[in-house]
Amino acid sequence: MVKKVIAPEQEKYDVIYEKILFNKITEAFSWRERPKAMRELGPIMMPDDEIALKQFLGKNWQDITLDIYVNYDDALFLFTPSAYAYYLPGLLITSVKAMDIAIAEDEAIVRAEAEAEAEAKAIDIALGRTRAKVRAKARAMARAESLAKARVIWDKKARIKDLIDKIVFWIMDFEKILSESHLFERWTTLTIEEYLAVKAWLIWITREDTYQDDEDIYQNDESLCQNDVMNSLISLDKLIDLAKQREKWRCK
């Protein structure tokens, strides 16, 4: 697969848009306070659940890293709806930052490969290809090194994607939200501004092929990924409509 190189102008735009997106998310959730009740009442917690919750206790959402969200995601299922909503902006922002870092690293590898290939061709021409075998071996080693670096980046993107699939794509099925109290309590209590912030985040983090890893693209799963995103956006629009109806009822 041939990867495209991001133009400097696009990189500048991405940085600006990212700041706008983070401000939008932060402002939308700024009215929320860290709740005292962190977990829902229910069965006795398992040791792993207690460890997961302790990673969040006493911390503001700005202090939670993506590694905590990824490695202790059990806490997100145990949270009360207000706790879930409180820590949601941290999940949105840290996932974008991590994804953009992975994209930048991937981009750096593509550029380095292009530069190395150009340099190798220039040397071959200068030497009259008298050392073609030596150059071929060097190129093979360089490609193997690039592939190893790319694999690390694929793994980073896959971790983010798994987290989004597991946590945020609960909004993918609007009818399921209405029928399951656990989902209903989480996703029908957000404000219109919060829904719009989540929507802006979803559009950004899944833009073009950035949300997919290369294996998805090789396996032609692009359309499946796009359908998931589209269904989530449709569900968000329906949730926004519900929020507007609630506001009308309050005003009456």
Side-chain angles (χ1 to χ4, degrees):
M1 181 184 64
V2 178
K3 294 186 177 182
K4 59 185 177 182
V5 177
I6 301 174
E9 293 79 9
Q10 181 64 38
E11 290 180 341
K12 291 179 182 178
Y13 168 82
D14 290 351
V15 171
I16 294 172
Y17 184 86
E18 188 179 85
K19 290 181 180 179
I20 295 173
L21 175 62
F22 291 168
N23 287 335
K24 186 180 184 72
I25 294 171
T26 301
E27 290 176 6
F29 289 85
S30 61
W31 66 279
R32 293 187 178 273
E33 297 180 355
R34 191 174 71 227
K36 294 180 180 178
M38 292 287 287
R39 83 173 185 95
E40 295 183 321
L41 298 177
I44 298 175
M45 287 196 303
M46 301 299 290
D48 288 348
D49 294 336
E50 293 183 4
I51 293 173
L53 277 174
K54 285 181 180 178
Q55 309 307 312
F56 295 84
L57 290 176
K59 295 179 182 179
N60 296 326
W61 67 259
Q62 295 90 339
D63 302 325
I64 306 300
T65 64
L66 183 68
D67 283 342
I68 291 177
Y69 285 110
V70 171
N71 296 325
Y72 302 98
D73 60 348
D74 287 345
L76 299 172
F77 295 94
L78 300 169
F79 280 156
T80 60
S82 57
Y84 184 85
Y86 175 77
Y87 287 103
L88 182 56
L91 173 60
L92 304 182
I93 290 176
T94 56
S95 60
V96 168
K97 288 181 177 179
M99 182 68 81
D100 286 350
I101 289 173
I103 292 169
E105 292 174 343
D106 200 10
E107 179 70 12
I109 291 177
V110 173
R111 287 177 174 166
E113 288 177 342
E115 292 171 359
E117 186 67 21
E119 182 180 352
K121 288 181 179 178
I123 293 174
D124 283 346
I125 293 173
L127 296 177
R129 299 188 180 278
T130 56
R131 300 179 62 190
K133 291 183 179 180
V134 176
R135 298 302 305 168
K137 184 178 180 179
R139 287 182 189 178
M141 292 177 63
R143 289 194 183 100
E145 183 179 352
S146 295
L147 184 60
K149 292 179 180 178
R151 172 57 61 182
V152 173
I153 296 171
W154 295 342
D155 290 343
K156 289 181 182 179
K157 291 173 70 176
R159 290 177 71 207
I160 300 169
K161 182 180 175 182
D162 288 344
L163 185 66
I164 295 169
D165 287 345
K166 185 185 296 184
I167 305 301
V168 182
F169 274 5
W170 274 351
I171 62 178
M172 193 163 57
D173 189 339
F174 180 72
E175 299 303 325
K176 191 174 182 180
I177 292 172
L178 296 182
S179 63
E180 293 189 14
S181 60
H182 187 73
L183 302 182
F184 185 87
E185 291 171 352
R186 278 162 165 71
W187 286 105
T188 61
T189 57
L190 300 184
T191 66
I192 294 174
E193 290 74 18
E194 288 170 337
Y195 286 130
L196 291 173
V198 174
K199 186 176 181 179
W201 164 85
L202 182 60
I203 292 172
W204 179 247
I205 201 169
T206 59
R207 65 194 185 280
E208 298 179 2
D209 62 350
T210 58
Y211 175 64
Q212 299 170 260
D213 54 40
D214 289 333
E215 279 137 356
D216 286 338
I217 297 172
Y218 284 134
Q219 295 171 9
N220 297 318
D221 288 340
E222 183 177 0
S223 60
L224 179 61
C225 176
Q226 290 173 345
N227 287 338
D228 288 346
V229 175
M230 185 59 64
N231 289 336
S232 296
L233 292 173
I234 293 172
S235 291
L236 273 170
D237 284 337
K238 292 180 179 179
L239 289 169
I240 290 172
D241 288 339
L242 279 182
K244 289 179 179 178
Q245 292 176 20
R246 287 199 303 270
E247 285 195 357
K248 287 182 180 179
W249 294 335
R250 288 175 188 150
C251 294
K252 289 182 179 180

